[in-house]
Structure formats: structure tokens, C-alpha cells
Amino acid sequence: MSVVHQLSPGWLLDHLSFINNINYQVHQHHEPCCSRSEPSTSVHLDSMSSFGSSAKFIASDSTTKPENDDGGNCEVFIQQYIFRSELFDITKPYITSAVHKECQQNNENEDLMNSVKKEISISTLGKKRKRCVVFNQGELDAMEYHEKIRGLILDGSSQIIQEGLKSGFLRPLSEKRDKCNEPIALPLDTCNLSELCEMAKHLPSLNEMELLTLQLVENDMSVTEQDLFSRIVENNSNFTKMITLMGQKYLVPPKSSFLLSDISCMHPLLNCKKTYDVIVIDPPWQNKSVKRSNRYSYLSPLQIKQIPVPKLAAPNCLVIIWVTNRQKHLRFIKEELYPSWSVEIVAEWHWLKITNSGEFVFPLDSPHKKPYEGLILGRFQEKTALPLRNMLPIPDHKLIVSVPCTLHSHKPPLAEVLKDYIKPDGECLELFARNLQPGWTSWGNEVLKFQHMDYFIALESRS
């Protein structure tokens, strides 16, 4: 369960508990008695040409245990994994109050809404002249938007955070705060998945008449790049499976599926002819810092519009898109993107990021970065769609409050907060995903990133 508290303003989520409540158990056979079983890196191939290019790579449970020399069953060990808790150890705001106070002093004479221009008298070579500092339209829009939702976020988060402090989920500041000043050593990005997706474009394409379904018969399986990039990978079992790609190990949760590719290679997802009741999208929005750093790829608005959401969406599908606070992106979603997908906006929610003690990670009125991000929710409108029944209307301006992960763009899970607004056992899809979750299909060029073994800790195994 990811929801710690649910109040009228919104939810307090525990992202770490959600991950660790996933059944990250890998069943491993004891090697001495399993010498006759197939190697853990073997792949069994069965012809499935009737599926054409929608063939899938399926992981499933083996109902019988491998036998030893005496015909008996091998002993199976269960290895449990948990996500590294220090990656959610946010004890201090990203900007300290002293820094924020200095920013406030520098800007204290500026009215965020009413002062469009400010005349500054400066002296140059003994001669005074006047220069007008004018906010651009984007800055003005951002100020107006912030003023519109500021009170809502302040009042709603106060109720939610107070409930978290009363229950003990959030911990008040104490003398222990200073012990966590050392930076966290994050795992190395040892396998650049996005670069692998780029390389995959140059691999020879499979003959559609000879496409195969690969069935995972062991719990640790090595896969080739061509096998992985040309198929949807499914783990239909009740336990976690481990796959090895380019020498790197990744955990695939039970009842999950994924496609590792970039936006130019989505056809395996489309060719399945499957539609989804929920589609969550976290696109790589273009911004100045991304362009300057060159660390992350981004998509232009035109490229985002080309995502084939109408082909993936079931009637009345709930479409949710994560968006930064840049008003240009918000206007694009509302005025261009959703209309082009035949999606009608029904609500706008806000993700508020806090520390373990309930402080905002950035000051609420920081002129640079805000402690919140947005989610725009809409319904896919199809002419033949039947009216929604037995589902609650989606309320506007709900808050999702959580301690963020230190890993870039590891968004909180939405499955539990959405359950009242979708049909039971609905099909769920996440686009531009960086992790997997049970019951969901995930797509992206870094879809396995946060499933890497380095982000997990192995507990003591048991038989």
C-alpha cells in the first residue's frame, strides 16, 4: 500500500513502502542438486509465427521443480530484495532557509503580480539613465499560476503533513538531523539503456514469419539485444524474475511487462492490438537546463503529439500526463496535445515534494524552483464509448504529497490513488517509464533503469 493517509485535500504517499511491498522474491535452485537442469542463461524458443510482429517474450512459473540424480526435487532458495532506503532519505530542503531569505531580500520590493515593470535608476559615467526590467510573458504566466494555486497547496498540504506527523510517518526535526549531511553514493549508471535503444535501430530486423516467443524457464536469464528490443517482455509469474542484459542484472516484478525502445520503435506495443484503461505519461519536456546540460534527451512538442495515444487508449481511458511548472507546457497540453488525442481534461492535480520531516523541498515562493509539479488528467473521448458507470467523478486540484526519491524523475506510484476512478482490473500503461510495477505495462528507452540490481539490497536467503 502506498497511501499512508487520505484526506479531503489529497493523499500522503509512501513511495518506498510501495516498492518494497512488491514481491521482489527470486526463486533460486540449489546448484549441487540441480546439475542436470538447464543452465540459468538458457533460452527455450517456441515458434509463435501466428502472432506476427506482436510476439512477446514471456516469463512464467515452472510448476515442477528440477529433479536431482535420485529423481527427487531440488531444494529451492528464495532470495528477497528491498529497495535502498537511503534513496528516500531527504532530511533537509534542497534550498536552506538562509539562502531563501537572501533571495527574498533581493526581491522584497517586487510584487509578483502587480508589478509588471520596475524602473531602476542607475548611474553610468556620472550620467543617470533609466532601464526598464520587464517580465516576459512566460514569467508573468508563471506568477499568475502560482498565485492561483498557492493557497490551495499551503492549506491542503498543512492538513496532510500534520496528519503524517501525528501518525509518526513523518519525523519532526531533531538533533539527529545533522548526521545525514554526507552525500549519498548513488549506483553507477553502468548500462546506458537509451544508447542501447539507439544501437538497436541498426540491428537486423527479424523475419516476421519467423518471430518467436521466448519463455523464461529459469529465474536468471541472459537476453540478447535483438530479442529484447523486438518484443514485449512479460513476467506472468507470481515471483520476480532476473534478467541479464549486456552483463547487467535487472529485476522484473511479478505480473509486469515492458518494452524497451525509443519513440521510433513502438510498433511491438501497437501490434499487440491491446488497449488500456489508464495511460500515465511522463514525457521528457524540453527546457533550458536540459538543453544546456546535454545529459538527458528531450522531445519537441511535435514529437510528443505523435505519440499514438488514441491507438492505445480504450474507450473512456484515463490519460494522465506529468508536467513541469513551465506554463508553455501547460498551455500546450490543454490547447493542443489533449485535443489532438481526443482527450477531454477533467482535473488538474499537484505533486508536492516534502522532506522526511514535512518541510517543502523548496520554499513555496522560491522564484526559481517550486516544490510542486503538475498532473493533467483527461478522458479519451470516443464516439462509440458508453457512459461511465460505477465510477466516481474525478475531483480537481487534489494533492499528492510524498518524500521524493533522490533518483532523477522517479515519480510516485499512482495506482492506488487512481483505483476509484477506473474500472476494476483495468489495463494500465506507463509511457516513458523508468521502472516497472505489477499489473502495468511499461514502455520507454530507460524502462529498466530503476530495476537495476544496484538499487536493491539482498536480504538473507531462505529455503
Side-chain angles (χ1 to χ4, degrees):
M1 299 289 284
S2 61
V3 174
V4 180
H5 297 295
Q6 180 174 357
L7 289 82
S8 57
W11 304 268
L12 178 62
L13 299 189
D14 186 348
H15 191 170
L16 178 62
S17 287
F18 174 84
I19 298 174
N20 287 336
N21 283 334
I22 295 174
N23 187 21
Y24 277 115
Q25 293 183 352
V26 178
H27 285 203
Q28 299 172 328
H29 301 298
H30 191 265
E31 290 188 2
C33 67
C34 296
S35 57
R36 290 193 176 186
S37 64
E38 298 174 14
S40 61
T41 57
S42 67
V43 181
H44 280 196
L45 304 179
D46 300 308
S47 178
M48 295 289 287
S49 59
S50 61
F51 282 93
S53 58
S54 65
K56 301 177 182 179
F57 163 36
I58 303 175
S60 61
D61 280 334
S62 178
T63 55
T64 59
K65 299 178 182 178
E67 295 184 350
N68 58 18
D69 293 342
D70 299 326
N73 287 336
C74 291
E75 187 173 10
V76 176
F77 285 88
I78 300 174
Q79 180 66 67
Q80 177 82 34
Y81 293 90
I82 60 171
F83 202 73
R84 291 177 56 177
S85 61
E86 64 267 28
L87 296 176
F88 285 92
D89 194 13
I90 310 295
T91 58
K92 291 184 177 182
Y94 298 146
I95 295 180
T96 62
S97 57
V99 173
H100 180 52
K101 283 180 181 178
E102 184 177 345
C103 291
Q104 285 181 317
Q105 290 171 357
N106 292 337
N107 297 283
E108 61 184 359
N109 294 323
E110 296 185 45
D111 188 294
L112 287 178
M113 288 306 305
N114 300 322
S115 181
V116 176
K117 297 182 179 180
K118 184 179 179 181
E119 293 188 349
I120 304 174
S121 179
I122 59 173
S123 176
T124 305
L125 299 175
K127 182 181 179 181
K128 287 188 176 182
R129 65 182 176 86
K130 290 185 177 181
R131 175 170 62 89
C132 287
V133 176
V134 182
F135 294 113
N136 63 41
Q137 190 59 48
E139 291 170 329
L140 292 173
D141 291 344
M143 293 173 186
E144 181 179 0
Y145 179 77
H146 177 68
E147 285 300 309
K148 176 183 174 183
I149 65 171
R150 184 183 185 279
L152 179 147
I153 288 178
L154 199 58
D155 295 340
S157 65
S158 176
Q159 296 180 48
I160 295 171
I161 291 169
Q162 285 301 316
E163 195 69 23
L165 290 168
K166 282 195 290 185
S167 69
F169 173 72
L170 299 175
R171 304 182 300 273
L173 295 177
S174 67
E175 65 279 358
K176 296 180 181 180
R177 176 173 173 171
D178 293 332
K179 75 174 184 177
C180 298
N181 286 339
E182 296 182 5
I184 299 172
L186 296 178
L188 296 174
D189 188 9
T190 49
C191 185
N192 194 320
L193 297 171
S194 57
E195 287 187 6
L196 285 179
C197 291
E198 189 64 31
M199 289 167 52
K201 297 177 184 178
H202 307 290
L203 292 172
S205 59
L206 295 175
N207 186 332
E208 288 197 6
M209 297 305 295
E210 297 178 356
L211 283 176
L212 306 173
T213 293
L214 293 84
Q215 188 166 3
L216 187 62
V217 295
E218 295 288 341
N219 292 293
D220 187 356
M221 177 177 178
S222 295
V223 294
T224 67
E225 295 84 348
Q226 190 170 4
D227 289 333
L228 194 63
F229 294 123
S230 59
R231 294 166 174 81
I232 293 178
V233 181
E234 288 188 344
N235 177 9
N236 289 327
S237 71
N238 294 316
F239 300 98
T240 293
K241 301 291 182 180
M242 189 184 297
I243 63 172
T244 303
L245 175 64
M246 299 289 286
Q248 303 299 313
K249 292 184 180 295
Y250 300 90
L251 295 176
V252 181
K255 308 299 182 183
S256 67
S257 59
F258 69 90
L259 172 64
L260 174 63
S261 76
D262 67 14
I263 197 170
S264 67
C265 301
M266 295 183 70
H267 52 274
L269 193 62
L270 296 169
N271 290 339
C272 286
K273 307 298 182 183
K274 185 176 181 179
T275 57
Y276 298 87
D277 302 293
V278 179
I279 301 178
V280 176
I281 312 169
D282 186 15
W285 295 105
Q286 180 179 340
N287 60 56
K288 291 179 181 179
S289 62
V290 168
K291 292 177 72 173
R292 282 196 302 264
S293 68
N294 204 29
R295 290 174 59 196
Y296 309 107
S297 60
Y298 59 85
L299 295 181
S300 68
L302 179 60
Q303 289 173 307
I304 294 174
K305 283 178 74 172
Q306 291 172 346
I307 300 170
V309 167
K311 293 182 180 179
L312 296 167
N316 294 314
C317 169
L318 179 58
V319 180
I320 303 163
I321 191 164
W322 290 94
V323 62
T324 66
N325 292 312
R326 193 174 180 187
Q327 296 305 295
K328 179 180 178 180
H329 299 327
L330 278 168
R331 283 198 305 272
F332 167 68
I333 293 171
K334 296 175 180 179
E335 299 172 8
E336 294 185 49
L337 184 62
Y338 273 12
S340 72
W341 287 344
S342 299
V343 173
E344 179 183 353
I345 294 176
V346 294
E348 184 174 345
W349 290 0
H350 314 278
W351 173 35
L352 180 64
K353 294 171 271 189
I354 60 172
T355 68
N356 300 116
S357 59
E359 296 179 278
F360 298 162
V361 295
F362 292 107
L364 183 59
D365 296 319
S366 168
H368 306 294
K369 286 193 175 183
K370 297 292 191 287
Y372 55 82
E373 294 183 31
L375 302 89
I376 309 298
L377 294 80
R379 291 278 185 193
F380 176 62
Q381 301 297 310
E382 194 177 55
K383 294 180 180 179
T384 58
L386 296 174
L388 289 170
R389 294 180 180 178
N390 302 323
M391 272 188 275
L392 296 175
I394 299 177
D396 202 10
H397 292 297
K398 282 283 190 177
L399 298 182
I400 296 173
V401 182
S402 72
V403 177
C405 184
T406 57
L407 301 173
H408 174 71
S409 199
H410 198 356
K411 297 294 197 299
L414 299 177
E416 196 173 343
V417 301
L418 296 176
K419 61 181 173 56
D420 291 334
Y421 312 113
I422 59 175
K423 66 181 185 181
D425 303 318
E427 296 287 347
C428 303
L429 172 67
E430 183 174 8
L431 302 179
F432 303 100
R434 292 185 170 191
N435 62 285
L436 310 178
Q437 51 184 318
W440 287 65
T441 299
S442 304
W443 166 82
N445 66 352
E446 292 186 309
V447 72
L448 292 176
K449 185 178 179 69
F450 300 143
Q451 301 301 134
H452 195 284
M453 287 287 295
D454 283 352
Y455 295 112
F456 292 83
I457 296 173
L459 302 180
E460 187 175 350
S461 61
R462 57 186 175 86
S463 59

